[in-house]
Amino acid sequence: MNGLPRTIAVLAAIVVGATSAAACGTDEPAPPIAWSPCPAEVVAEAAPTRLDCATVPVPLDHTAPASGEIEIMISRLAGPNPDKRRGVLLLNPGGPGGSGLAFPAFLVARGMPASVTDSYDVIGMDTRGIGHSARIECGFTGEGPYVGNLPPYAVDDAAVSARAEVVRGVAQQCADNDPDDRLRHISTADMARDLDAIRAALGEEKASFLGYSYGSALGAAYASMFPDRADRVVLDSIVGDTHLDRDGMRRYALGMEQTFPDFAAWAAERDDTYGLGRTPDEVRAAYLELADRLDREPVDGLTGAIFRGSVFAYLFNERQYPVLAGLWQSLRTGAEPPDTGEVPDLASFDNSWTVFLAVTCNDVDWPEEVRRYRDAVAEDRERYPLYGAAAANIIPCAYWPHEPAEPPVPVLADGPANILLVQNRRDVPTPHRGAELLREKFGDRARLVSVDAAGHGAYLLGENPCANDVTTAYLVDGTLPAADVSCPAS
């Protein structure tokens, strides 16, 4: 019965005023980029697709360029036909904290059309702080009470207070492991400035952008800070703003409520196989009953919080439903859980967990009063019974060692109409409401493609031909829909 405890920490990692931010971009000519073979692990991950890699120097502190530089590593899937090439398409896979060097190859494997790869040099990257780009780490080992950035479910006020002491220690640990003072300079605004530096280094007047999940926030920031340099912008699985704040994290619970019924219906149709319930209502009741029982009586270290977090994580993708049902069945029957694949060393997530915290905490001034989190947890426990008392729980940002260096990047509605928002209607960490909010903020600059599907990520990551066709047409031909689009289930 070790399947759920082993997988939750891994999946949790995969999972995440009117003052305007100064752009500080550049029109200065940059030295030619020197392309060379990518690091061995990127080559292996990208195979059989071949990518080239290079580094781009950027200021550690964009407000004080003379204070020193860091290097951002980028990758390139070069367009095969220069006559068809439009420009560059910058990618971000999300996180914050996800390495994106092999992401061009991943999208090719997921079916990125040749019309897109003919039109662009597709550019992946490790954004600042990640992997090969001035890597930062808090020293997380995967042991102890902090094993990922998904907040645990809090059964009562005492659980929130206990968690506050854990995350206070995490924030201090990050401060203690920052000898080069890089932590304070990992923010969405600085990453957007890095994107513009990469554009300039590539010799391009403009850059297109495709970002998923947190990448939607980064892309929204880039399109807002550099509206005249952003070409065609596609934002998928949308956070709702240029940053993740308390409201955005609390929307995890809304996403769980909206997505769980898809799994419940799937499991109910297979009750003879898994025995989780004959109807969706029975499956939901079984989830709540088991989680409550594990809160009171953990089994082999499996708590209700771990169970809830596991279900949350497995709902990211419909292809994971059989694994989730099998793990849940093993809890019910005591049978050996299904093989969930090789479990990596949790210490390997130190870098991604650290960057998630740095960006999330540096972008927004999070409240420090534990009472505010206790109140939110109590409210969302009732409003969203499946996961509300987790999503509203306190995180290390409450005690972060640095105040935000600048306000969050405001969404710029006054600019070119060049932003396509693509969003599944049922998405656990980024529910449809986030896309609606960003659509409202961008106004006439944007169009929204709403997809009748469940899962985290629509374009190429889902199976909906309508969403794929509309998005590809925009990237290749610049055909922004005249109005918002509703894609039926495929």
Side-chain angles (χ1 to χ4, degrees), residues 36 41 69 154 170 172 179 187 290 325 340 349 352 376:
S36 62
E41 72 274 13
E69 288 185 337
V170 168
Q172 185 60 52
S187 71
L290 178 56
T340 56
F349 292 106
S352 60

Side-chain angles (χ1 to χ4, degrees), residues 76-107:
R76 178 184 66 174
L77 175 62
N81 190 337
D83 293 336
K84 294 183 179 180
R85 182 184 179 278
R86 173 181 176 79
V88 295
L89 177 63
L90 309 179
L91 303 181
N92 187 274
S99 173
L101 289 174
F103 198 48
F106 173 80
L107 291 181

Side-chain angles (χ1 to χ4, degrees), residues 129-430:
I130 297 169
H132 295 273
S133 299
R135 184 185 187 98
I136 60 169
E137 293 177 323
C138 290
F140 298 129
T141 64
E143 299 179 354
Y146 195 81
V147 289
N149 293 315
L150 285 177
Y153 189 93
V155 296
D156 53 25
D157 284 353
V160 180
S161 297
R163 188 63 181 177
E165 292 309 307
V166 171
V167 300
R168 185 194 297 272
V170 168
Q172 185 60 52
Q173 179 178 339
C174 290
D176 292 342
N177 282 274
D178 185 30
D180 298 324
D181 197 32
R182 290 179 178 175
L183 207 60
R184 70 172 73 239
H185 299 295
I186 310 296
S187 71
T188 298
D190 280 327
M191 288 181 177
R193 296 179 181 110
D194 293 345
L195 291 181
D196 199 58
I198 292 167
R199 172 204 58 78
L202 292 169
E204 301 289 335
E205 292 185 4
K206 294 187 175 185
S208 293
F209 181 88
L210 169 60
Y212 295 83
S213 194
Y214 166 75
S216 72
L218 177 57
Y222 185 65
S224 296
M225 295 172 68
F226 303 99
D228 296 329
R229 297 173 189 167
D231 190 10
R232 296 170 184 171
V233 177
V234 177
L235 311 180
D236 191 315
S237 44
I238 295 160
V239 170
D241 211 312
T242 62
H243 54 274
L244 178 64
D245 57 12
R246 284 189 73 208
D247 289 341
M249 187 163 283
R250 289 176 72 177
R251 282 196 292 273
Y252 290 1
L254 172 63
M256 178 83 156
E257 294 286 346
Q258 293 177 337
T259 307
F260 186 86
D262 282 53
F263 169 76
W266 181 94
E269 291 175 358
R270 296 160 178 80
D271 183 58
D272 289 345
T273 301
Y274 299 107
L276 304 183
R278 293 168 296 177
T279 67
D281 285 345
E282 288 186 0
V283 175
R284 180 184 176 95
Y287 166 89
L288 293 170
E289 187 279 329
L290 178 56
D292 183 62
R293 175 158 53 86
L294 291 170
D295 286 334
R296 299 189 308 270
E297 300 175 5
V299 176
D300 293 341
L302 175 63
T303 64
I306 293 175
F307 173 67
R308 289 182 179 92
S310 296
V311 175
F312 176 88
Y314 275 112
L315 292 180
F316 275 49
N317 191 312
E318 289 178 306
R319 291 186 289 274
Q320 293 294 328
Y321 286 2
V323 179
L324 171 57
L327 291 169
W328 189 343
Q329 180 188 42
S330 73
L331 290 174
R332 183 180 61 82
T333 64
E336 185 68 19
D339 184 9
T340 56
E342 181 181 355
V343 178
D345 179 4
L346 293 185
S348 67
F349 292 106
D350 184 10
N351 180 220
S352 60
W353 291 347
T354 300
V355 173
F356 177 95
L357 288 178
V359 174
T360 304
C361 303
N362 288 334
D363 278 356
V364 181
D365 189 10
W366 290 67
E368 299 178 11
E369 303 87 353
V370 178
R371 172 189 53 79
R372 294 182 61 178
Y373 295 93
R374 287 198 299 258
D375 291 346
V377 164
E379 178 182 341
D380 285 4
R381 188 185 296 114
E382 297 298 321
R383 184 167 56 158
Y384 303 122
L386 297 178
Y387 202 64
N393 204 355
I394 193 167
I395 67 172
C397 295
Y399 304 108
W400 199 241
H402 306 294
E403 295 296 319
E406 57 191 312
V409 178
V411 175
L412 180 68
D414 183 15
N418 62 343
I419 300 166
L420 186 68
L421 311 176
V422 188
Q423 178 68 52
N424 285 335
R425 291 194 179 274
R426 298 172 300 284
D427 182 330
V428 177
T430 55

